[in-house]
Amino acid sequence: MLRHAKAAHTPGLADRERPLTGRGEGDAKRVGETLQALELRPDLVLCSPSLRTRRTAELALAQLAPDAPVDFEHGIYQAYADELLELVRRTDPGVRTLLLVGHNPGVHELVMDLTGGEGDPGFPPGAFAVIEAAVPWAELETGRAVTLWTPKSAG
């Protein structure tokens, strides 16, 4: 689960069209570097269609998995945790590693719901959680937090 990196607040610009800030661009690249160091390559990416989530995914995947299939799911934008979980549960059983790129509060709430809220560092822009589950996607209810990462925790 990845929250988009830091986005600009530009007056007059539609929320869906908010770009990443310079810091956000750098943090998104660090997400990709960190996932690569963890040897986590997604088989599928579910991404909100907003500009900031698309750019976060693009930068994070650039070296990590440039050929990973990306599905832009309108249902991720402004989704609640239960709606995100339903999207995840529809994932093809052949997908072993899934990356969901979305927005708060839904992404953070889903991470907390799946992991029981253990070790919650908050979920600022650019944060991600790696959650391991021992059941098929369709049966997902809980998981184990393997990694909780924020741009600040990385230094």
Side-chain angles (χ1 to χ4, degrees):
M1 306 289 171
L2 170 60
R3 180 181 177 191
H4 65 79
K6 185 166 180 57
H9 293 278
T10 307
L13 193 62
D15 183 66
R16 287 180 185 246
E17 297 306 316
R18 291 174 45 212
L20 294 182
T21 63
R23 184 179 120 200
E25 296 253 337
D27 288 347
K29 290 175 187 173
R30 288 174 48 216
V31 165
E33 293 164 1
T34 304
L35 291 173
Q36 190 167 30
L38 294 170
E39 298 181 1
L40 289 171
R41 184 187 185 285
D43 299 315
L44 175 65
V45 179
L46 298 178
C47 185
S48 165
S50 75
L51 178 60
R52 61 192 179 274
T53 49
R54 291 190 329 254
R55 183 66 175 152
T56 298
E58 176 187 345
L59 292 169
L61 295 170
Q63 291 181 356
L64 172 67
D67 297 329
V70 179
D71 288 348
F72 295 103
E73 293 281 346
H74 292 280
I76 296 173
Y77 185 77
Q78 297 185 333
Y80 293 103
D82 59 335
E83 295 167 313
L84 294 174
L85 181 58
E86 284 306 312
L87 281 171
V88 170
R89 285 180 176 157
R90 291 196 301 254
T91 299
D92 184 284
V95 172
R96 293 187 39 91
T97 303
L98 174 69
L99 175 62
L100 185 141
V101 185
H103 309 266
N104 268 5
V107 171
H108 183 214
E109 290 171 356
L110 180 56
V111 169
M112 295 298 96
D113 289 352
L114 290 173
T115 64
E118 289 186 39
D120 180 14
F123 227 70
F128 72 81
V130 177
I131 300 170
E132 185 177 74
V135 298
W137 297 113
E139 299 171 22
L140 184 63
E141 289 184 28
T142 63
R144 181 177 71 85
V146 175
T147 302
L148 295 169
W149 184 92
T150 69
K152 285 186 180 179
S153 70

